[in-house]
Amino acid sequence: MKWLLTIGAIMALVVAVAQPNDLFEQGNTAYANEEWATAIEHYEAILDTDYRSASIHFNLANAYYQIGDLGQAILHYERAWQLDPTDEDIIFNKKLANLQIIDKVEPKEPTFIGAWWQSFLLTASTNVWAFTAVLFFFLTLGLGTVFLLVKHPFWRPFSFFGGLSTLVIALLLTFIAHQRYGVTYPGTPEAIIMAPNVYVKSAPKAGSTDLFILHEGLKVTVQEQEGDWLRIGVENDKQGWVKAADLAII
Amino acid sequence: MKVWWTIVFLSLAAWMWAQEATFYAEVDKNAVAKDGVIRLDIVIENGDMQSYEAPAFTDFDVLRTSQGQSTNITIRGNQQVMVRRITRSYLIRPRKTGQLTIEPAKVRIEGQLLETDPITVTVSGSGSNPSPSPSPNNLPKKNIFVRAFVNKTSAYVGEQVLLSYKLYTGQNIASYNEPTTTYAGFWKEDIAIKNPSVKREVINGIAYRTAIVKQVILFPQQSGTLDIPAADMTVDVEYNFFSTRRIELKTNALSLDIQPLPNNAPASFTGAVGDLSLTTTISGDSAAVDEPITLRMTLKGRTNFDLLGDPVLTLPNGFEVYDPKISANTSKSGGVLSGSKTYEYLIIPRQPGTYKLDPISVSYFDPKTEAYQTLNTPEYTFTITGSGAQGGGNVIGINKEDIELLGEDIRYIKTETDWTRGSGTILGTPLFWTLSAGPLAAWFILFLFVRWRDNREVDPLAQKQRKALAAAQKQLRLAEKARKEGDNKGFFDHIRLALWHYARDRFVIPQHELNKDTITAALQEQEVATSLIEQYHQVLDTCDMALYAPIGGSEAKDQLVADAKQVLQDIQTAAKA
């Protein structure tokens, strides 16, 4: 009975403390004092709630990097990058961490147009694009209303062509918002290898042939699931099966 | 003590006598003049003769026969061997010239029938018997010769073949030089023979001392018919007590049929032909990062290790291996090149994890089974603990800019944050759908309404009909206004107009036909109750009369407005259309 009370008290304390900002501050303090494990504990406690931010993943990744857990570090850099793909600190640390991994997979070089399009998409977040689209939908509504109700020789054609343009722009912005979302959250999910090394098998069975070996921290695409096994692909078109437990989906 | 010695002696004696019986014939020469005499010895060694049959001597006359018995102790190898020899000697003379044959003698020893080899004798026609004493100019070269022979005449490429040179001599040899020739198409390994072991051999009735003077292990390097040309050899023969004579000899030439190896060689075949075995040992299956693991692999067998390519050790990423320490030892005993080769690999793990070492494969061609055989090391699994070097030895394929980056530390944490909850994006949420599709839907509804309204406004009469009650009520409000302003006439006029115009608009009666009868008719047509029609006319009459005989009290006026409102409302409800 006594221990129940104790647990209750601790729980109450945790709930009281579990405000994300407090945990964030405590994690930052621990990090500043180079108490990496404590910092990780605090940051992970935030992630147990549904609060998310680029900073929290970035700080957690830094802490994991400091203790040498490359897999977790890269996983959280990737998650931080998803939330804020233009932040230079995130890009820098993510690149630095990726230099530590053993497997060197040459990323596919994007075309000039592709690179330009991607940087254009990244000029704003998905929500900014989406809300701009919403704004244009309302503009369409406004101009459309003018068109329907005002029978003025200037306002009628103005509102007609204006409304049509805003509608096209709104639809285009919706498309852009979806494209922008696809940059950070690709259609095929991606995962990071968490085990120090994994043997990639030719079939989802323990006894099947080893095709090749991958090491901690490498980003792979997840194409299929079969029981405990995931079919993964590496950037240079190699494919194979690994145990789901050895990966973490970004 | 005495008994013990006797046993030793007896057993020794028994062992020494345990020799196989041999039976042979030999002549002192096998080329004579027509009237020459040949001495033929028929010898039985170590055997008890049960029956004896002398040669037939078809072409010879037997001049004399004698028999002798002797027991010799000879040293063979490092053993003393007793030889008991029974000799029957015949002095024979050929009856004619040409190639004559001394037929075999037969003997039965311990139930076994033995025969001597037939001996061919060349009898020349000239009358003079050659001088038995050799002279320097006329050295009997014929009782010394050298022969080359191989242990197999057909072999695969790479298969070892033993080539031996055997010297046959009936004279004392002071010294000799080894036979020399060229071995085109072969890889050769000479076998050094320091002390040739001398044996006794009888060829065509003449006993020779023989010795293998040279042996070469040959490895054919190409297929087809490979020739070994005749080898030259010089022998110094004791001529007399003080001097020697040099004799030049030539061996026979040889020819070998070499077959190519089959085409289906496995990838791990590096040229070994013969037989091989493989053993591997490993220093441990777990280690810390940077702690070396030793893998020792030993190949053993009968093959040419010099021609053998080194096996390939493929290591997973995260390991370094130095060039192996190779030690080999070979032996040529028994005329076969055999040996072992040990590879010692020092493997240094650089990254933690669990790794499998792919089996190392070594293949060889086995000429006996005429097939390739593959040997595999076991599959070793290493568990490496510790943490890998940051950006350690495996930085391959990164550019200069990246190397500079490696020296840098990560950037410091962020102290500011703003929070999102849930998935963080509004795309695909009901909110986004509402906000984007909502305005479009709203506009569409507005569009439908406006179109509906416009359709109705096309007919002004219908429009008036719809608004009849509202227009009448407006007139009534104007009446109230006039009353407040003290405009008595206006008050009644507005009420009258309200009633008249309502009927005109509501029942679509043209202005010029508008009178009390048409209104009554219209109301009746609309099946409005007669009492209501009367009420309607009554309100109108009150107004008409009031223009001339004003009704005084405000109560009456209130009543009038209320009645007008009521009657219009009732008609609106009661009317069909």
Side-chain angles (χ1 to χ4, degrees), chain B residues 10-79:
Chain B
L10 281 174
S11 60
L12 261 171
W15 195 83
M16 282 168 180
W17 285 111
Q19 292 285 328
E20 208 185 323
T22 52
F23 182 52
Y24 59 87
E26 68 180 60
V27 286
D28 61 346
K29 50 190 170 288
N30 50 16
V32 288
K34 193 187 162 196
D35 52 354
V37 175
I38 299 168
R39 181 194 162 107
L40 169 70
D41 289 339
I42 309 289
V43 184
I44 302 157
E45 284 182 359
N46 305 324
D48 290 324
M49 182 163 58
Q50 286 160 337
S51 68
Y52 173 75
E53 192 186 315
F57 299 122
T58 333
D59 298 322
F60 298 91
D61 294 323
V62 179
L63 304 179
R64 202 168 69 197
T65 311
S66 63
Q67 184 169 346
Q69 187 166 346
S70 65
T71 301
N72 299 0
I73 294 175
T74 59
I75 296 171
R76 284 192 191 155
N78 49 8
Q79 280 179 324

Side-chain angles (χ1 to χ4, degrees), chain B residues 116-139:
Chain B
T116 62
D117 293 328
I119 298 168
T120 310
V121 177
T122 309
V123 183
S124 55
S126 70
S128 71
N129 194 2
S131 165
S133 59
S135 70
N137 302 328
N138 182 20
L139 201 76

Side-chain angles (χ1 to χ4, degrees), chain B residues 55 58 107 110 118 151 217 229 243 259 293 301 307 310 354 375 411 421 501 515 519 577:
Chain B
T58 333
V107 74
E110 288 154 18
N151 64 345
I217 300 168
S243 62
Q259 296 154 42
I293 297 166
L307 291 181
D310 290 336
T354 303
L375 304 167
R411 294 198 184 162
R421 303 187 69 168
H501 286 171
N515 55 47
I519 289 172

Side-chain angles (χ1 to χ4, degrees), chain B residues 84-285:
Chain B
R84 194 185 57 194
R85 187 174 288 147
I86 301 165
T87 311
R88 284 184 184 227
S89 300
Y90 302 87
L91 287 179
I92 52 173
R93 181 191 287 157
R95 289 179 190 154
K96 52 185 180 184
T97 58
Q99 296 280 354
L100 303 184
T101 304
I102 304 172
E103 291 86 347
K106 292 172 185 160
V107 74
R108 186 175 291 275
I109 298 169
E110 288 154 18
Q112 215 180 347
L113 188 69
L114 300 176
E115 271 184 35
T116 62
D117 293 328
I119 298 168
T120 310
V121 177
T122 309
V123 183
S124 55
S126 70
S128 71
N129 194 2
S131 165
S133 59
S135 70
N137 302 328
N138 182 20
L139 201 76
K141 200 173 171 180
K142 52 199 168 221
N143 64 354
I144 179 161
F145 59 92
V146 61
R147 272 191 193 160
F149 59 93
V150 284
N151 64 345
K152 55 190 108 169
T153 53
S154 141
Y156 280 98
V157 170
E159 182 181 353
Q160 47 181 301
V161 175
L162 179 67
L163 169 66
S164 308
Y165 292 96
K166 196 189 243 182
L167 182 67
Y168 294 76
T169 178
Q171 305 181 47
N172 289 332
I173 306 287
S175 66
Y176 62 88
N177 290 324
E178 284 186 357
T180 52
T181 186
T182 54
Y183 303 96
F186 295 95
W187 166 288
K188 76 176 175 83
E189 282 284 339
D190 287 318
I191 300 175
I193 295 172
K194 282 172 194 157
N195 296 306
S197 75
V198 179
K199 285 182 182 152
R200 189 173 170 283
E201 238 175 275
V202 178
I203 291 178
N204 199 18
I206 298 192
Y208 293 94
R209 274 166 291 151
T210 65
I212 303 278
V213 289
K214 181 176 182 172
Q215 278 188 313
V216 185
I217 300 168
L218 295 174
F219 295 90
Q221 297 297 296
Q222 62 201 60
S223 59
T225 303
L226 292 184
D227 293 317
I228 303 169
D232 296 311
M233 179 180 187
T234 58
V235 180
D236 292 333
V237 178
E238 285 178 8
Y239 167 58
N240 58 32
F241 194 74
F242 302 106
S243 62
T244 61
R245 271 287 165 206
R246 172 153 295 191
I247 301 173
E248 287 183 1
L249 300 174
K250 215 169 177 66
T251 69
N252 50 317
L254 289 168
S255 163
L256 293 180
D257 177 29
I258 305 303
Q259 296 154 42
L261 293 176
N263 284 329
N264 57 336
S268 53
F269 178 72
T270 54
V273 177
D275 60 70
L276 275 181
S277 67
L278 176 70
T279 51
T280 36
T281 54
I282 193 146
S283 62
D285 56 6

Side-chain angles (χ1 to χ4, degrees), chain A residues 53 59 62 93 197 199 210, chain B residues 354 356 411 414 416-417 420:
Chain A
S53 79
N59 291 5
N62 273 11
N93 283 9
N197 69 315
Y199 281 92
D210 296 333
Chain B
T354 303
K356 277 177 274 184
R411 294 198 184 162
K414 294 178 182 296
E416 303 274 316
T417 184
T420 59

Side-chain angles (χ1 to χ4, degrees), chain A residues 21 50-53 55 58-59 62 87 89 92-93 96 100 102 104 127 137 141 144 148 197 199 210, chain B residues 351 354-356 391 396 405 411-414 416-421 424-427 436 439 443 447:
Chain A
N21 276 323
D50 65 346
Y51 284 94
R52 296 287 178 274
S53 79
S55 301
F58 177 76
N59 291 5
N62 273 11
D87 186 279
D89 291 345
F92 181 88
N93 283 9
L96 196 59
Q100 314 286 346
I102 295 166
K104 297 295 169 203
N127 281 359
F137 278 119
L141 174 64
L148 285 180
N197 69 315
Y199 281 92
D210 296 333
Chain B
Q351 297 290 339
T354 303
Y355 297 89
K356 277 177 274 184
I396 308 151
L405 249 177
R411 294 198 184 162
Y412 195 67
I413 54 167
K414 294 178 182 296
E416 303 274 316
T417 184
D418 37 50
W419 303 102
T420 59
R421 303 187 69 168
T425 177
I426 66 156
L427 274 186
S436 54
W443 181 85
F447 168 74

